Amino acid sequence: MSTGILFIRDSRTNANYEIPINRNAVRATDLQRIRAPSLNSNRADQVAHGLRVYDPGLQNTAVTESPISFSDHERGLLLYRGYTLDQLWGCDFEEMFHLLLWGTYPTASQFEELRRQLAQYMQVVPDIVRQTIVNLPKETSPLPLVLAGLSAYLACTPDVIPATTNPTIYQRDIKRADQIILRTVAAYAVVFGAVRSHRLGIPWKSPSIHQTYYENLFAMAGLVDPKTNRPDPTRVSCFRRFGNLNAEHGMALTVFSTVVTASSLTDPVSCLIATVAAAHGPLHFGATESAQLALRNIGEPKNVPAFIEDIKSGKQKLFGYGHRTYKGMDPRVRPIQSILKDMTDVNQPLLKVAEAIEEAASKDEFFSTRGLYPNADFYGNFVFTGIGFEPDMIPAAMLAHRIIGIMAHWREYMVNRGKLFRPIHLYTGHAEPTSGPRPKI
């Protein structure tokens, strides 16, 4: 049952409370009704102001309501707007974008219109955005280059910033919000392409009005067949299918960073900048790059047994294993492995190492009893490197997938007029002013 009443008896006061349960959740603000006398209590605990919820990392806290996606960890199932991954396996970027953003699968004419609009917006991204990236050292990590490019784009488009135009512009004018979303998504593709082409020192190729989003992204990034000077269809297909697995994953850090930033009514470009910075950490999208590095350090399958023992003893950390949402197998793993089968022309010796780790871990109770199985990051890095991306470009490439979910949740937060995030902390310091003179420095 999802609805009911939670009966609470407070041992401090012997008072009884009835807290409504809806969708198997209670409102944290309802718990503020539970109060106790502040006499003899630590003033910092603020007991007279009501009971607080302490949840580091928001491990069991719902921050919004959304119909965009659902992760059923018990069944290992991931749904996008009610559709399974199998049903959406053949989607193009534009189709997935339309579905997650507006809630409906596009018609042929809607698909073509969206494809054309994204390509047009790519073509009008100010050249100073690319020049900003080009003026930075090629050896720079992709992260600051992407941030620089997006910041340059924001500087060139002050009309998207609510604070300097209209504070509630996106809440009042959803059509304008949709337009800015398309411009933001197009700008990211240009920035991504400019970053990779600059770092490799290859000529810049302008986007084409006749290509899809991913085809343009590949072309701008220099991922083209030298014989045809066009993106390889198989590589684009692998990237597209992998993108369908990565397009959305609920309140993962990328999306959470977006909605926290959006809660102050911030524009989508600024939200994307915040998200890029958050995503590159080794505990999120950076985990894919970290997994690749760990596999390189192992070197060969014969070294896997010793590595497994080091993990069990706490000497090593295995990135790409385990997931907060899924206690069994990540439903994206097997589809990723099917994508890798279409890349047999690429020699990836570290894939043998990864497969040896999974085989060893599957037979070891240390992993099974802890619910540790490969997640999408573990094998996903081989899709990116097989396509031709450098390991340090993987987080930025993943964002080219996840930008769909990011923008869908930004739009949803504007439409639903989400509240400003202002969490509290439990103060552990002195609750009374310190006596005595100020310490000398």
Side-chain angles (χ1 to χ4, degrees):
M1 297 177 63
S2 300
T3 305
I5 300 293
L6 175 65
F7 296 98
I8 298 177
R9 180 176 179 273
D10 189 346
S11 65
R12 300 171 301 176
T13 61
N14 289 324
N16 295 309
Y17 300 88
E18 296 182 6
I19 306 297
I21 301 173
N22 185 38
R23 301 191 62 84
N24 194 36
V26 297
R27 287 187 172 272
T29 50
D30 284 343
L31 298 179
Q32 286 183 310
R33 292 161 40 199
I34 304 175
R35 303 185 179 190
S38 57
L39 185 66
N40 298 324
S41 67
N42 186 332
R43 187 173 181 81
D45 293 341
Q46 299 180 322
V47 294
H49 294 277
L51 194 66
R52 299 173 291 181
V53 177
Y54 180 54
D55 187 11
L58 300 182
Q59 298 180 77
N60 190 40
T61 297
V63 297
T64 188
E65 293 180 288
S66 175
I68 295 175
S69 69
F70 171 53
S71 299
D72 188 337
H73 66 270
E74 292 180 350
R75 292 187 292 169
L77 184 66
L78 180 59
L79 298 177
Y80 294 160
R81 298 282 189 183
Y83 291 93
T84 66
L85 294 177
D86 286 342
Q87 291 173 297
L88 301 173
W89 192 236
C91 284
D92 283 307
F93 175 92
E94 290 81 359
E95 292 169 316
M96 185 67 79
F97 185 91
H98 196 286
L99 174 65
L100 292 187
L101 204 76
W102 295 304
T104 60
Y105 199 81
T107 62
S109 60
Q110 288 173 329
F111 168 86
E112 178 57 26
E113 175 63 14
L114 178 57
R115 185 206 63 74
R116 184 187 60 80
Q117 283 184 309
L118 287 170
Q120 284 182 330
Y121 282 132
M122 289 183 202
Q123 291 180 325
V124 297
V125 171
D127 190 58
I128 194 172
V129 172
R130 189 173 64 86
Q131 291 301 324
T132 298
I133 295 168
V134 170
N135 287 333
L136 294 170
K138 294 180 180 179
E139 300 77 17
T140 303
S141 165
L143 170 61
L145 293 179
V146 171
L147 292 175
L150 290 174
S151 297
Y153 179 72
L154 184 62
C156 294
T157 53
D159 62 302
V160 310
I161 304 174
T164 58
T165 53
N166 184 328
T168 59
I169 184 172
Y170 298 126
Q171 292 182 312
R172 294 182 177 182
D173 189 350
I174 196 60
K175 289 185 178 180
R176 178 165 176 77
D178 287 343
Q179 180 197 54
I180 301 302
I181 288 173
L182 296 183
R183 288 167 58 183
T184 302
V185 172
Y188 185 78
V190 173
V191 168
F192 179 88
V195 168
R196 187 173 187 272
S197 62
H198 170 55
R199 296 181 79 234
L200 296 182
I202 58 179
W204 167 253
K205 186 176 177 62
S206 298
S208 168
I209 191 65
H210 303 294
Q211 292 185 317
T212 66
Y213 185 84
Y214 282 152
E215 287 172 340
N216 270 321
L217 185 140
F218 268 51
M220 290 184 290
L223 287 164
V224 294
D225 186 326
K227 296 179 181 179
T228 64
N229 201 33
R230 291 180 59 85
D232 178 74
T234 300
R235 297 287 191 272
V236 174
S237 174
C238 290
F239 191 75
R240 172 187 59 76
R241 284 176 286 160
F242 192 27
N244 292 340
L245 303 178
N246 284 331
E248 156 68 2
H249 210 229
M251 280 294 122
L253 183 61
T254 41
V255 168
F256 182 63
S257 301
T258 297
V259 297
V260 168
T261 310
S263 74
S264 68
L265 304 184
T266 311
D267 62 272
V269 183
S270 297
C271 289
L272 186 58
I273 290 172
T275 298
V276 169
H280 275 70
L283 293 183
H284 198 31
F285 281 3
T288 306
E289 184 182 350
S290 298
Q292 180 83 193
L293 177 61
L295 294 172
R296 287 203 300 269
N297 290 336
I298 296 170
E300 300 179 65
K302 67 179 183 181
N303 298 327
V304 166
F307 178 71
I308 292 291
E309 292 305 315
D310 284 346
I311 293 171
K312 293 161 66 174
S313 64
K315 296 179 181 178
Q316 293 277 5
K317 182 175 178 61
L318 179 56
F319 289 97
Y321 245 73
H323 199 283
R324 182 178 290 187
T325 300
Y326 305 111
K327 303 310 175 186
M329 180 67 73
D330 186 328
R332 299 169 294 177
V333 169
R334 297 309 176 218
I336 290 172
Q337 290 176 316
S338 74
I339 295 172
L340 291 172
K341 291 179 180 178
D342 292 337
M343 307 174 74
T344 53
D345 61 318
V346 181
N347 181 29
Q348 299 202 79
L350 292 182
L351 181 56
K352 299 293 185 183
V353 177
E355 291 170 341
I357 290 175
E358 183 183 359
E359 182 180 2
S362 67
K363 301 174 182 177
D364 196 313
E365 290 186 356
F366 176 87
F367 295 89
S368 60
T369 57
R370 290 168 171 78
L372 297 176
Y373 300 91
N375 60 39
D377 297 325
F378 191 66
Y379 284 111
N381 69 87
F382 293 106
V383 177
F384 289 118
T385 55
I387 287 171
F389 290 111
E390 300 72 33
D392 59 358
M393 281 294 295
I394 290 176
M398 291 185 73
L399 274 163
H401 292 157
R402 185 60 59 81
I403 197 170
I404 298 177
I406 289 169
M407 291 297 110
H409 282 281
W410 178 86
R411 183 183 192 274
E412 180 180 69
Y413 215 76
M414 291 297 155
V415 170
N416 294 343
R417 298 175 179 263
K419 291 184 177 294
L420 174 69
F421 276 83
R422 181 57 175 91
I424 60 176
H425 68 281
L426 301 186
Y427 177 66
T428 59
H430 295 290
E432 299 296 336
T434 303
S435 60
R438 186 180 68 181
K440 295 182 179 180
I441 299 177

